[in-house]
Amino acid sequence: MAAQPDVTSGNRFESVEQVREGLRDVSYLADEGIAGVAFLADRLGKPVLVEGPAGTGKTQLAKSVAEMNGARLIRLQCYEGLDESKALYEWNYKKQLLRIQADRHSDTWSEVHDDIFSDEFLLTRPLLEAISAEDPVVLLIDEVDRVEVETEALLLEILSDYQVSIPELGTIEATQIPLVFLTSNNTRELSEALKRRCLYLHVDYPTMEREKEIVLTKVPGVSEHLADQVARIVRSIRQLDLKKSPSVSETLDWARTLLLLNIDTIDEETAKETLHILLKYQTDIAKAAKELAVDE
């Protein structure tokens, strides 16, 4: 196992409670598990692999940690076909060609080669940008389960040694250890090699009480009564066999919609008329409407 790089950045967090309070200050309501893993990631200098259903706040966690620390968020959005030139770096070929043309009278190719394969011609992508940054950064590798297994190999050197090897330049090592968050929606199993390098965090849908608190925090002007109703109804809908359960962001959209309609008490008719804000498949809407009719 590779040793941790000899890089110091100072401890960002004093305690788990300080992480939790700091996240609350930027309107992210973290439980002890989430705050504890973020604290350990800082102290151990390890990335965090955050798994769980879509829409449970995995991406927002990285954004909120960056905000609470005043750090720059660098995001690599993963997708099928992502390669080294979009994730790590690539050479500015047009600029290199212009330099070659300008140096066509140079005595040796080695002189030209050393010239065009230098920092001046290097285009940094998110992973290299995070490694080479001198200011505090949080690196978000979002939806890592969308890339092919072979592409995961691009991440391993960074996740274990916080460095990038470029054949023409050598090894670029981090001057500080960035906080790294990888998110996954579990669309495929990630490699053991990647998992070994990370702390693990599972973020599930919040409890009814916590979701009510999220609504009260994120939706200005919402009453406690409406927030309670929204959280209860969403909880009952998530227990149905749906194609896609409502995410926390969709819960918030629903609460904002009800507030804009000047609704403080949700009856069956109101719920059915606004279910399209909460659910995105007609079959799910029909199931939820039927459930609400039964409850009524």
Side-chain angles (χ1 to χ4, degrees):
M1 181 179 296
Q4 286 295 322
D6 184 18
V7 182
T8 58
S9 59
N11 294 326
R12 299 172 180 87
F13 310 127
E14 296 177 2
S15 65
V16 174
E17 186 59 31
Q18 189 253 330
V19 176
R20 191 172 183 178
E21 291 301 319
L23 287 172
R24 177 180 288 276
D25 289 344
V26 294
S27 300
Y28 189 96
L29 304 183
D31 58 24
E32 288 294 324
I34 293 173
V37 170
F39 172 78
L40 290 174
D42 174 45
R43 291 302 177 95
L44 298 176
K46 293 180 71 69
V48 181
L49 172 60
V50 191
E51 289 190 334
T56 52
K58 301 184 298 296
T59 298
Q60 187 58 49
L61 173 59
K63 292 180 177 179
S64 297
V65 168
E67 183 180 355
M68 69 176 283
N69 281 292
R72 178 161 57 106
L73 180 74
I74 297 178
R75 180 173 181 171
L76 173 62
Q77 181 62 53
C78 296
Y79 55 88
E80 187 176 348
L82 180 70
D83 60 14
E84 186 176 74
S85 66
K86 297 298 186 291
L88 275 171
Y89 70 91
E90 66 177 328
W91 293 105
N92 190 332
Y93 299 115
K94 291 182 179 179
K95 192 173 181 180
Q96 285 177 322
L97 180 58
L98 290 173
R99 180 59 61 86
I100 290 172
Q101 291 174 339
D103 291 347
R104 62 183 180 274
H105 299 302
S106 179
D107 293 336
T108 65
W109 163 246
S110 62
E111 291 179 3
V112 177
H113 178 278
D114 291 343
D115 185 20
I116 64 173
F117 288 107
S118 59
D119 291 342
E120 179 185 352
F121 299 90
L122 189 66
L123 299 174
T124 60
R125 300 309 183 204
L127 298 181
L128 180 56
E129 178 71 18
I131 287 299
S132 56
E134 296 184 358
D135 57 322
V137 299
V138 171
L139 172 62
L140 168 61
I141 304 174
D142 212 9
E143 297 184 308
V144 68
D145 51 321
R146 289 183 177 272
V147 302
E148 296 86 350
V149 175
E150 294 78 12
T151 309
E152 285 185 22
L154 294 175
L155 306 174
L156 299 183
E157 184 179 21
I158 287 179
L159 298 182
S160 59
D161 298 326
Y162 294 98
Q163 65 181 33
V164 172
S165 296
I166 301 177
E168 298 87 352
L169 285 180
T171 300
I172 298 177
E173 297 181 349
T175 55
Q176 60 176 322
I177 297 180
L179 281 173
V180 182
F181 292 87
L182 302 91
T183 71
S184 169
N185 294 328
N186 298 313
T187 59
R188 71 167 178 83
E189 187 71 22
L190 299 174
S191 70
E192 290 299 322
L194 186 144
K195 287 185 174 182
R196 277 199 310 271
R197 288 162 170 79
C198 302
L199 299 177
Y200 180 77
L201 174 64
H202 182 80
V203 177
D204 210 337
Y205 294 113
T207 63
M208 186 176 69
E209 293 77 13
R210 185 160 165 257
E211 191 151 23
K212 174 184 174 181
E213 189 178 3
I214 291 171
V215 172
L216 288 168
T217 301
K218 293 283 192 177
V219 184
V222 70
S223 69
E224 187 162 344
H225 174 67
L226 181 60
D228 183 73
Q229 278 195 300
V230 166
R232 289 180 183 278
I233 293 172
V234 169
R235 178 179 172 83
S236 67
I237 289 175
R238 285 200 187 115
Q239 293 173 341
L240 302 175
D241 182 20
L242 303 176
K243 291 183 69 173
K244 181 187 178 300
S245 293
S247 67
V248 175
S249 62
E250 286 161 340
T251 299
L252 295 172
D253 287 341
W254 193 40
R256 293 186 185 106
T257 297
L258 296 170
L259 193 63
L260 287 171
L261 295 175
N262 295 316
I263 294 168
D264 192 56
T265 298
I266 307 172
D267 56 25
E268 180 185 349
E269 182 180 358
T270 299
K272 288 182 177 180
E273 289 178 351
T274 56
L275 278 175
H276 63 283
I277 304 295
L278 199 60
L279 301 167
K280 299 301 184 285
Y281 292 94
Q282 185 56 40
T283 53
D284 289 349
I285 293 173
K287 284 182 181 179
K290 184 177 179 180
E291 175 70 12
L292 289 169
V294 170
D295 289 345
E296 188 72 17

